[in-house]
Amino acid sequence: MSIFYFIAILSILFAVLVISAKNPVHSILYLILTFFTFTVQYVLLNAQFLAVVNFIVYLGAILVLFLYTLMLINLNKDSEPMKSTMVKIAAVLGGGCLMVVVIAALKAVGVSQPVLLKDPSLGLVKNLGKVLFNEFLLPFEVSSLLLLSAMVGAVLLATKDKKTTV
């Protein structure tokens, strides 16, 4: 359990660094570390499928896209507009509400017992595959046909019809 708590503390630390970083590129790099600690937590909780999906989808695709987008746009302080007083007041109220929620959550720390799984193979990919391809085979195949038709439609819409008029 000590590894779990260490990774949980790292997750919280990196999440705070995401919010408090001045440089947006550093903020996204801290977000990558935060999602990586989530992946480690999923592995520790025996949810390998969620770990792999989190690693591939979030770390491999979305955050890299965020990082490239931030590198491509120009983030000068000169081009940043001044915030109005209403935005600043809303930010202070939102931060105060967040502080109240965090204090209320910290009061309940240590009250509950850790959850122990009765079935240690609960989060395995093998069990997910059995359920997916036995009970939900028809919806799975219908969704694959819908995705295929959406892909064909996107390709048809993206290609321009080159008609030559004589």
Side-chain angles (χ1 to χ4, degrees):
M1 278 300 199
S2 64
I3 295 173
F4 179 83
Y5 290 122
F6 176 70
I7 300 296
I9 289 171
L10 281 179
S11 297
I12 293 169
L13 173 72
F14 290 140
V16 168
L17 288 173
V18 167
I19 297 169
S20 63
K22 299 284 184 191
N23 190 347
V25 175
H26 292 163
S27 180
I28 291 204
L29 292 174
Y30 288 131
L31 190 60
I32 289 172
L33 289 173
T34 304
F35 280 139
F36 183 74
T37 57
F38 290 167
T39 302
V40 172
Q41 291 287 20
Y42 289 143
V43 169
L44 288 175
L45 292 172
N46 201 21
Q48 289 87 8
F49 180 72
L50 285 176
V52 168
V53 168
N54 185 46
F55 188 79
I56 291 171
V57 172
Y58 287 106
L59 290 174
I62 294 175
L63 287 178
V64 172
L65 179 69
F66 283 176
L67 191 60
Y68 285 145
T69 304
L70 276 178
M71 287 179 172
L72 287 175
I73 62 176
N74 190 8
L75 293 174
N76 291 333
K77 289 187 177 184
D78 301 336
S79 64
E80 184 177 337
M82 293 297 296
K83 305 286 191 276
S84 68
T85 56
M86 289 301 290
V87 172
K88 291 178 182 178
I89 291 172
V92 168
L93 287 175
C97 290
L98 178 66
M99 186 176 68
V100 168
V101 169
V102 167
I103 289 172
L106 287 177
K107 284 185 178 180
V109 169
V111 174
S112 64
Q113 297 295 324
V115 176
L116 298 175
L117 296 176
K118 294 178 183 175
D119 184 15
S121 65
L122 186 65
L124 297 178
V125 179
K126 181 173 89 174
N127 296 334
L128 177 67
K130 284 181 183 178
V131 171
L132 187 64
F133 291 117
N134 286 335
E135 297 175 30
F136 298 105
L137 182 63
L138 181 64
F140 181 77
E141 291 299 326
V142 168
S143 66
S144 68
L145 287 174
L146 285 173
L147 287 172
L148 178 67
S149 64
M151 184 179 66
V152 169
V155 168
L156 288 176
L157 287 174
T159 58
K160 295 190 178 215
D161 192 22
K162 295 181 181 180
K163 293 182 182 179
T164 57
T165 55
V166 179

